[in-house]
Amino acid sequence: MNGAADMGGMHGFGPVEPEPNEPVFHADWEKKAFALNIAIGCAGIWNLDAFRFERESISPPEYLNRSYYGLWVVTLERMMLKYGVATPEEIAAGRPLAPPKKTPRPVTADQVATMIRHGSPYDRPAPSPALFKVGDRVRTKNNHPTTHTRLPRYARGRVGEVVRIVGCHVFPDSHSQNIGEDPHWLYTVRFDGRELWGEDADPSVRVAIEAWEPYLEPL
Amino acid sequence: MNGAHDMGGMHGFGPVEPEPNEPVFHGEWEKRAFALTLAMGMPGGWNIDMSRFARENRPPGDYLSMTYYQIWLAGLIDLMKERGLVSDDEIAAGHSLRPAKPVKRVLSPADVAQTLHRGGPTARETNSKAAFAAGDKVRAKVINPLTHTRLPRYVRGRVGVIESVRGCHVFPDSNSQGLGEDPRWLYTVKFDGRELWGADTDPTLSVSIDAWEPYLVRA
Amino acid sequence: MSGHDHHDHHHDHDHSELSETQLRVRALETVLTEKGYVDPAALDVLIETYEKKVGPRNGARVVAKAWADPAYRERLLKNGTPAIAEVGYAGRQGEHIVAVENTPKRHNMVVCTLCSCYPWPVLGLPPVWYKAAPYRARAVNDPRGVLADFGVALPQDTEIRVWDSTAELRYLVIPMRPAGTEGWSEEKLAELVTRDSMIGTGLAKSPADLK
Amino acid sequence: MTHDHHDDHHHSHHDHGSDLTEMQLRTRALETILLEKGYIDPAALDELVDIYEKKIGPRNGAQVVAKAWVDPKFRKLLFEDGTAAIGSLGFGGRSGNHLVALENTPTVHNMVVCTLCSCYPWAVLGLPPLWYKSAPYRARTVADPRGVLRDFGVELPKDTEIQVWDSTAELRYLVVPMRPAGTEGWSEEKLAELVTRDSMIGTGLPKQPKDLQ
């Protein structure tokens, strides 16, 4: 979707302001917001792509004016409502008013380390041979789905070169809508800066993205 | 400038919510903000393109959470401060703290009707020849200036057809930077919806913009 | 452009915001009048003009005349600005007006995705929704969805032309004349012309609506 | 770009008063609901926080870079199969399942960003700093990387090619900066001290030996 999150190439945000000796978390609630999301994220109720789509669906003014973990809290609430983990009344009351529909399988403390070590690999067996190979010139499609996609607007309808075949990966555009992992071949595609930003862009700049095969068409 | 104002094709803002029997102004301050902005144009000495850039040139998060006349007010204040007509301490104090800068003219009540009637035509005489004619296929250039432009992001790089030649008009990209009116040929360019938004767009949709010659190349 | 979809956010946002903005405007007006940059009486005339005098009734008269007078309609479609001046409307934000006509096969819709360009002389100042993100964002890529927000559904095969006012050209939609209005006077016809029908987010009223 | 709204600008970066307390309340409410419904184990939350606040951080990546400076065999593996290479040092898993190392050379400088959200190689760099997740970095890096480098006080020769990698999938990138001169014979530990977090994102360069005096 073309939400506020897709901000590559936007202007007006001012300079980058690194914070000297910045702490990992800026408040206790941020620690909780982080941990809650990771823990419940691994409980198999929803997937990461669906979580990202929910977050980018937050209205642009709110998205741009919430802090990073503020967005995590708002997104967690929306996911809990959407996936039946809690009702609006429970969120408002700040406590459960009924037992959970399905008995949950929480991640316990002793499982955390292995869960982190294992991570969640996205590569899958390939259902078909790859269409493109390294060195191929491709054009990204100019699609504007209202659902989740990982093809940023600044790179749509642009010509680039395949610089890596990553392998077959879960396809977020389908996975986020809970219509299956739908694995597709994934490539790293590199663009000349002038192809993205115009002929007077810095000639020394290249920008690469990862793009699934459905994003690409042969030149 | 790729600011939040350039929002054609964005998602996530929700439905259009027309207000039944909406008043022209939503509060006394909106009337005064509206009138102050128009009245200050004469003594201020800025043109409409400078005024538009002053409004769009602000952090996207702020732009999207300000109401229409709050943005007008913020733009007016920036224009006046840039020209030293007022300063922060005066705005804070709510009073003039030092003598005014001399200005060419002040809008008098008698001027109002006449200036409104005259308006600000942007058409200009020229002896240059238009590069394009109705029916020509053109491509909107990929440009991403940090300064003011009237070429929305959603058409950059896309191919359309010249629908009509509108004559020579003041060129905002120059006029907004005080580089003179720099009149250029102006065309209405028609784009098929699928060219803008992808193959599965409503085939009955076409979108046109008014584009100055420097925005276009022959396709 | 505040977030409409968050109604509570919108309102509590407004109360604290509003009083602060009222104070800022009052401070500005005092500073500018004390410095002599602005004549308060001129402000009142500006406000009076656009709150009371200039509004969509102007455009309705133009549309009604185009419906009733084929020669006028021809002149209007060929060159909007002088034709509209014949009826007495011209000037600021209407220096270069283009009239676009709806037909059974084509529906026109006007937007300014970049700010709020709107034909003031014939329609007055634009409504909030015209200047807000939901309309500006969706008019260009989902006009049928926007029409649905206005309760309007067009046949699937009707061509939809969206005009994004990116220059100083201002567009006025000439809606189709409703059936059953033969012999009507221009005044009566003008009553059928709604503001939204001249933007393209609505249709003209039918005679039944006037009963 | 006038920045007179600096305070507003900041406002959108960090929580201001009301946002903070609002967030504390909302988070507490969520935790209570999820805990009492049995969805979470509070001890697991503490463990998660402890791991990412204290255990996993940029020192992991510094160790990888130092080894790549010293050990040609490891360097070759790192650029052929980043995941296996960091795995051999015990790093991997979450946000490190598909790691790709990027080699800075005298003619090519790499920078990593996630314009769409905040993708970052947790396994080797821990959780991302605020600026990495903020709009100024996400918006500008793909279009004006040299401008962003200036914000970090870094100026590269005009003809150096700048490669920006936008992490749009689950690949996670680690920049391997050039080894500073004057470090012949240094141990991996000592070399690792020169490797700053920013130099592994591409917004900074490694420290020089004299910086360690």
Side-chain angles (χ1 to χ4, degrees):
Chain A
M1 80 179 281
N2 298 345
D6 185 355
M7 55 177 66
M10 288 278 292
H11 298 150
F13 287 118
V16 180
E17 292 168 317
E19 179 186 334
N21 6 334
E22 174 189 343
V24 176
F25 297 105
H26 290 74
D28 283 344
W29 70 266
E30 285 196 349
K31 300 180 183 180
K32 279 291 160 59
F34 166 72
L36 280 171
N37 265 299
I38 302 293
I40 190 109
C42 302
I45 303 166
W46 55 70
N47 64 63
L48 178 57
D49 298 303
F51 181 86
R52 285 196 184 122
F53 177 52
E54 194 63 36
R55 183 173 51 203
E56 63 198 26
S57 304
I58 292 171
S59 81
E62 179 172 6
Y63 182 94
L64 291 172
N65 285 298
R66 283 252 179 239
S67 66
Y68 182 70
Y69 286 112
L71 286 174
W72 280 42
V73 170
V74 169
T75 308
L76 179 54
E77 282 173 358
R78 289 167 67 128
M79 293 297 274
M80 287 165 65
L81 293 172
K82 196 175 228 180
Y83 287 77
V85 168
T87 63
E89 295 70 28
E90 289 177 315
I91 298 231
R95 55 183 175 70
L97 304 173
K101 294 199 188 66
K102 295 207 290 358
T103 46
R105 287 179 291 96
V107 169
T108 54
D110 56 332
Q111 296 168 318
V112 167
T114 38
M115 173 194 73
I116 289 175
R117 276 221 45 63
H118 180 64
S120 47
Y122 258 52
D123 53 324
R124 295 295 183 276
S128 60
L131 261 182
F132 305 109
K133 55 186 179 338
V134 172
D136 282 359
R137 279 162 60 73
V138 289
R139 178 188 298 278
T140 51
K141 291 180 185 165
N142 181 39
N143 290 338
H144 293 258
T146 51
T147 49
H148 186 60
T149 185
R150 292 296 288 187
L151 179 57
R153 281 184 77 181
Y154 72 84
R156 292 179 195 169
R158 295 290 182 268
V159 173
E161 183 190 337
V162 175
V163 295
R164 175 187 305 115
I165 300 179
V166 178
C168 248
H169 273 225
V170 172
F171 188 39
D173 302 50
S174 307
H175 198 214
S176 60
Q177 308 308 305
N178 297 313
I179 52 175
E181 294 193 330
D182 188 21
H184 280 282
W185 282 96
L186 180 65
Y187 306 88
T188 302
V189 180
R190 188 175 57 199
F191 304 89
D192 185 292
R194 284 159 298 187
E195 169 71 9
L196 297 177
W197 311 112
E199 59 207 13
D200 48 16
D202 182 335
S204 70
V205 172
R206 308 277 175 285
V207 178
I209 64 168
E210 267 70 66
W212 280 263
E213 209 160 80
Y215 294 171
L216 305 173
E217 52 196 27
L219 203 50
Chain B
M1 162 176 195
N2 297 344
H5 70 287
D6 186 353
M7 52 179 67
M10 286 277 294
H11 299 140
F13 287 120
V16 180
E17 292 171 313
E19 181 186 334
N21 5 1
E22 175 187 343
V24 175
F25 296 105
H26 292 71
E28 264 317 298
W29 73 268
E30 285 200 348
K31 300 179 188 181
R32 311 313 296 182
F34 167 73
L36 280 170
T37 304
L38 262 58
M40 276 308 291
M42 189 171 278
W46 48 74
N47 58 56
I48 191 163
D49 301 305
M50 291 171 177
S51 181
R52 287 203 182 104
F53 183 62
R55 291 177 195 149
E56 62 199 34
N57 183 20
R58 62 199 56 262
D62 296 355
Y63 182 94
L64 292 175
S65 26
M66 291 161 81
T67 64
Y68 184 68
Y69 286 113
Q70 282 174 337
I71 290 173
W72 270 42
L73 208 63
L76 174 62
I77 289 172
D78 289 347
L79 287 167
M80 295 193 295
K81 276 170 38 181
E82 270 158 30
R83 287 159 183 74
L85 298 177
V86 298
S87 50
D88 281 325
D89 56 352
E90 291 180 309
I91 294 174
H95 277 292
S96 166
L97 300 174
R98 56 191 67 79
K101 282 184 76 168
V103 288
K104 279 206 289 339
R105 265 193 69 163
V106 168
L107 187 70
S108 73
D111 292 338
V112 172
Q114 196 252 340
T115 43
L116 292 184
H117 189 73
R118 195 181 67 250
T122 54
R124 293 293 182 271
E125 289 310 318
T126 179
N127 36 39
S128 69
K129 220 174 93 24
F132 305 111
D136 285 0
K137 261 179 78 175
V138 289
R139 180 186 296 277
K141 284 186 188 168
V142 173
I143 57 170
N144 288 275
L146 289 168
T147 48
H148 184 63
T149 185
R150 294 296 288 184
L151 183 62
R153 284 182 74 183
Y154 71 88
V155 298
R156 293 174 195 171
R158 304 274 82 82
V159 172
V161 176
I162 301 280
E163 177 150 0
S164 32
V165 183
R166 302 292 189 188
C168 242
H169 281 250
V170 172
F171 187 41
D173 303 50
S174 308
N175 201 30
S176 59
Q177 305 308 309
L179 304 174
E181 294 193 333
D182 187 17
R184 299 298 179 115
W185 281 95
L186 182 67
Y187 306 87
T188 297
V189 185
K190 178 181 172 184
F191 297 86
D192 183 285
R194 283 159 297 190
E195 168 69 7
L196 296 177
W197 311 113
D200 48 15
T201 306
D202 175 345
T204 69
L205 168 63
S206 59
V207 178
S208 67
I209 66 165
D210 301 318
W212 283 263
E213 206 161 272
Y215 292 169
L216 305 170
V217 287
R218 198 171 294 283
Chain C
M1 233 68 53
S2 46
H4 278 288
D5 60 326
H6 259 265
H7 259 296
D8 53 342
H9 170 78
H10 179 78
H11 287 308
D12 65 33
H13 193 81
D14 262 2
H15 289 313
S16 59
E17 267 316 39
L18 210 56
S19 49
E20 185 224 329
T21 311
Q22 275 168 322
L23 293 176
R24 279 184 85 176
V25 173
R26 195 165 301 149
L28 262 187
E29 187 170 349
T30 312
V31 169
L32 295 175
T33 39
E34 285 180 3
K35 281 178 179 283
Y37 294 134
V38 159
D39 174 343
L43 302 183
D44 298 333
V45 175
L46 279 165
I47 293 164
E48 177 73 13
T49 305
Y50 286 102
E51 197 173 25
K52 305 270 182 349
K53 298 209 182 79
V54 179
R57 286 309 99 215
N58 297 5
R61 281 186 63 208
V62 171
V63 170
K65 187 174 174 61
W67 283 349
D69 175 349
Y72 178 75
R73 175 184 159 278
E74 208 50 45
R75 293 199 301 281
L76 178 64
L77 293 177
K78 194 162 171 300
N79 192 351
T81 312
I84 289 169
E86 284 177 42
V87 189
Y89 310 129
R92 190 181 187 95
Q93 288 301 306
E95 298 89 345
H96 311 283
I97 299 187
V98 174
V100 286
E101 186 182 47
N102 282 353
T103 68
K105 277 284 145 252
R106 164 189 288 188
H107 180 84
N108 297 282
M109 227 169 120
V110 179
V111 66
C112 176
T113 62
L114 297 173
C115 50
S116 59
C117 300
Y118 189 76
W120 288 11
V122 279
L123 297 184
L125 298 181
V128 169
W129 59 262
Y130 180 87
K131 305 176 285 201
Y135 185 69
R136 287 167 55 190
R138 267 172 67 229
V140 285
N141 68 349
D142 179 21
R144 286 182 192 274
V146 166
L147 284 168
D149 291 346
F150 283 86
V152 175
L154 296 175
Q156 265 309 329
D157 58 1
T158 306
E159 184 206 344
I160 299 191
R161 282 298 308 278
V162 179
W163 307 81
D164 189 358
S165 318
T166 52
E168 291 314 317
L169 268 62
R170 295 296 170 263
Y171 290 87
L172 176 67
V173 174
I174 310 301
M176 286 191 283
R177 173 173 180 167
T181 58
E182 293 68 21
W184 283 31
S185 72
E186 286 186 23
E187 280 67 33
K188 210 154 184 322
L189 284 171
E191 285 171 41
L192 299 176
V193 185
T194 67
R195 183 204 52 208
D196 290 357
S197 72
M198 293 183 280
I199 300 171
T201 55
L203 306 176
K205 288 184 188 159
S206 63
D209 300 335
L210 287 194
K211 293 279 182 310
Chain D
M1 216 83 55
T2 50
H3 293 305
D4 50 359
H5 292 287
H6 207 68
D7 49 353
D8 294 358
H9 176 70
H10 256 295
H11 143 79
S12 62
H13 263 286
H14 313 292
D15 298 321
H16 47 69
S18 64
D19 195 18
L20 205 62
T21 41
E22 177 213 345
M23 277 305 146
Q24 279 164 326
L25 296 175
R26 288 172 85 162
T27 312
R28 191 169 302 149
L30 294 183
E31 184 174 2
T32 310
I33 297 169
L34 294 174
L35 176 65
E36 291 180 8
K37 282 187 185 256
Y39 283 107
I40 50 160
D41 163 0
L45 304 188
D46 301 336
E47 175 74 1
L48 274 164
V49 170
D50 183 59
I51 286 175
Y52 283 104
E53 199 171 26
K54 302 204 176 60
K55 299 204 176 72
I56 297 184
R59 285 310 98 211
N60 295 7
Q63 210 185 316
V64 172
V65 170
K67 188 172 180 60
W69 281 348
V70 166
D71 173 348
K73 216 158 67 56
F74 175 79
R75 183 183 188 85
K76 187 167 179 302
L77 176 63
L78 181 60
F79 290 123
E80 272 165 13
D81 182 349
T83 310
I86 65 167
S88 70
L89 297 181
F91 307 134
R94 191 176 190 93
S95 280
N97 292 109
H98 311 289
L99 191 97
V100 172
L102 303 166
E103 183 179 30
N104 278 358
T105 69
T107 54
V108 175
H109 179 85
N110 296 282
M111 277 172 86
V112 180
V113 65
C114 176
T115 61
L116 298 173
C117 48
S118 57
C119 300
Y120 188 76
W122 289 11
V124 281
L125 297 185
L127 298 180
L130 208 59
W131 57 261
Y132 181 87
K133 306 175 282 201
S134 68
Y137 186 73
R138 287 167 55 189
R140 257 172 74 228
T141 302
V142 285
D144 177 24
R146 286 182 192 273
V148 168
L149 285 172
R150 266 192 299 282
D151 291 347
F152 283 87
V154 175
E155 201 64 46
L156 291 176
K158 269 195 75 46
D159 53 8
T160 306
E161 180 186 331
I162 299 190
Q163 303 236 11
V164 178
W165 306 82
D166 188 0
S167 318
T168 53
E170 291 313 314
L171 259 63
R172 294 296 171 263
Y173 288 98
L174 174 69
V175 173
V176 178
M178 287 189 281
R179 173 174 178 167
T183 56
E184 294 68 23
W186 283 32
S187 70
E188 283 184 30
E189 284 71 27
K190 207 154 185 324
L191 283 170
E193 285 172 44
L194 298 176
V195 186
T196 65
R197 183 205 50 208
D198 290 358
S199 71
M200 293 184 281
I201 300 170
T203 55
L205 302 175
K207 289 182 186 155
Q208 294 302 320
K210 58 178 173 39
D211 300 332
L212 290 190
Q213 250 72 45

